[in-house]
Amino acid sequence: MRILFIASEAFPLAKVGGLADVTSSLAIALQDFGHEPCLILPKYGSIKAPVQDVQGKSVAVSLMGHSEQVALKMTRLKKRIPVYLVENDDYFGTEEIYTRDELKRFLFFSLTIPAIISRLNLHPDIIHCHDWHTALTPLWLKKAKIKLPCIFTIHNLAYQGSFDQQFLSDSGLSSVWQEYIPVSAPRSSLNFMSQGILLADIVTTVSPSYASEILTPQYGEGLEQLLNYRRNELYGIVNGIDYDEYNPATDPYLERNYDSTTINRRSDNKLALQRKCRLPQDLDTPLVGMVSRLEEQKGIDLLLQAVDQFIVETRAQLVILGHGREHYHKLLAAAALKYPERISVFIATDERLARLIYSGSDMFLMPSRFEPCGLGQMIAMRYGAIPVVRHTGGLADTVRDVAEANGNGFVFQSYAFLDMLEAIKRAEESFYHRSEWQNLMRHNMKLDFSWKVSARKYEQIYLRARNVCQTGDIIQK
Ligand code: GLC
């Protein structure tokens, strides 16, 4: 199948979070199965990869009464997957991906898609759109009378591309907003995501647990009625990670490489990490690591509430790497200043340090309020750091408490800092039983979180979307 991904991020060209890892590693996995994936991405000012001109190819798109030219460039992911980059300096020229005027930016991006598909003669069998930034694509395809199976994947329901009445009329969206939405559908709120949910042939999200959670008011972010309306075509597929990229036996960023048969070598990474963090270098002190966007979703407030008690009630060290809300930056930095022997904080995105944390810490903490999938826990397991997670979304689908059969981590249920602390303390206790702990590390390192299984599930979804699309427009007027 020729599969066309439409996305705002793809690693390594443009990355803010896990979305980027998933679009590129899923494309790679699909190509390994013999499919022909390609991607369309905006050409942000920060994309410095060498690009080729796509000879003589440009398209004109009008938005808010202005006709704009976009030029098409091309590059490849891992030298093998074509990525078409949409170039227009007014809309995409700035370095950041998510900007103040992102609504206009991604409205414009999605408007270019039908024109690009025709201009480049792409003839995709499947169009696969990722997250709100691309959620208007099915609408524009219908408008352009391009009938192609379309999948919409929700990576995070909390970001919807919401706007107000003013934007609706200024952008010209008001004339098409209801055009293809059946009268029986619940009223949709003003955001890009709702159109993707209603107009795609199939909606997926990135884990089975999150797929059922988002049908409830607690996790539905106000879109639960729409999602319930589409629940027969809503699927949850857990993400994989790229096993070539994340491999402790070959990872060039590590102090020392190792695998499940040589876990003792891992100590060198722990010592290097402690050195880098200016924490006492001691292999017998448990080290808890965290690599995360520093956003509300990720449970940073739980962590902040727990800090003082963590210091008193455990002997563990804590290292945090991430970037996000200014408010959290300040409070985390203050905690590190207060407990310099125990806590180390890096406000940054730093791939090298991230790898050292996965390979050098004993435990990996993810106390998320909600978590569509989460990739950190899977990377951590592959690198032998034991996950301590809250039971939600993809964390619930990939981490099972050691108290259960085949347990692989430490799990707490409610979003409460005392519960989190209790899970950390159980992990600490277990850490002091060396051979038990090492068995757990070896067990986790051998688990398979590659795309092997999940990419096959997407294959099934694509086939199903072709049927849905051919056997009548379930949801069109
Ligand atoms: C978003 C979600 C995260 C998920 C990732 C990739 O970043 O917050 O849970 O793993 O997308 O799907």
Side-chain angles (χ1 to χ4, degrees), residues 282-348:
D282 175 9
L283 292 174
D284 295 329
T285 302
L287 175 49
V288 183
M290 214 173 155
V291 178
S292 178
R293 284 184 289 117
L294 300 176
E295 300 293 341
E296 214 200 327
Q297 168 196 350
K298 300 292 183 178
I300 312 301
D301 46 345
L302 279 200
L303 191 72
L304 288 163
Q305 285 167 40
V307 164
D308 293 327
Q309 241 165 292
F310 170 83
I311 296 296
V312 177
E313 295 178 18
T314 79
R315 285 180 43 212
Q317 300 170 334
L318 175 65
V319 42
I320 300 166
L321 165 66
H323 189 270
R325 267 178 66 180
E326 194 66 37
H327 172 69
Y328 291 141
H329 296 177
K330 287 200 188 114
L331 293 176
L332 288 170
L337 213 59
K338 188 166 170 197
Y339 302 113
E341 300 269 291
R342 301 282 299 279
I343 301 180
S344 182
V345 171
F346 298 85
I347 303 299

Side-chain angles (χ1 to χ4, degrees), residues 96-214:
E96 298 80 40
I97 298 179
Y98 306 118
T99 50
R100 274 177 197 284
D101 58 355
E102 62 186 14
L103 288 169
K104 261 174 74 185
R105 164 176 266 198
F106 291 113
L107 167 60
F108 182 73
F109 177 54
S110 63
L111 271 167
T112 66
I113 304 299
I116 293 173
I117 292 175
S118 318
R119 191 83 182 89
L120 295 183
N121 291 320
L122 289 179
H123 300 294
D125 297 304
I126 300 289
I127 308 223
H128 189 163
C129 307
H130 297 267
D131 258 353
W132 76 262
H133 329 96
T134 65
L136 294 179
T137 310
L139 169 66
W140 303 131
L141 291 174
K142 287 187 194 305
K143 196 81 198 142
K145 302 200 170 17
I146 299 179
K147 193 160 186 277
L148 286 170
C150 202
I151 321 287
F152 177 59
T153 294
I154 299 168
H155 292 262
N156 195 333
L157 199 60
Y159 302 97
Q160 304 177 351
S162 300
F163 52 82
D164 55 15
Q165 286 292 343
Q166 187 72 41
F167 183 84
L168 184 73
S169 49
D170 291 353
S171 63
L173 272 171
S174 46
S175 61
V176 286
W177 195 245
Q178 292 294 328
E179 192 170 347
Y180 300 95
I181 296 185
V183 275
S184 59
R187 262 205 95 63
S188 66
S189 36
L190 294 183
N191 58 68
F192 287 31
M193 198 152 226
S194 61
Q195 291 276 330
I197 293 170
L198 284 169
L199 299 182
D201 293 297
I202 293 185
V203 181
T204 74
T205 186
V206 289
S207 70
S209 288
Y210 193 60
S212 35
E213 285 172 348
I214 57 179

Side-chain angles (χ1 to χ4, degrees), residues 46-63:
S46 51
I47 296 185
K48 302 283 189 259
V51 294
Q52 288 163 262
D53 286 324
V54 180
Q55 277 307 319
K57 302 284 170 146
S58 66
V59 296
V61 173
S62 29
L63 177 58

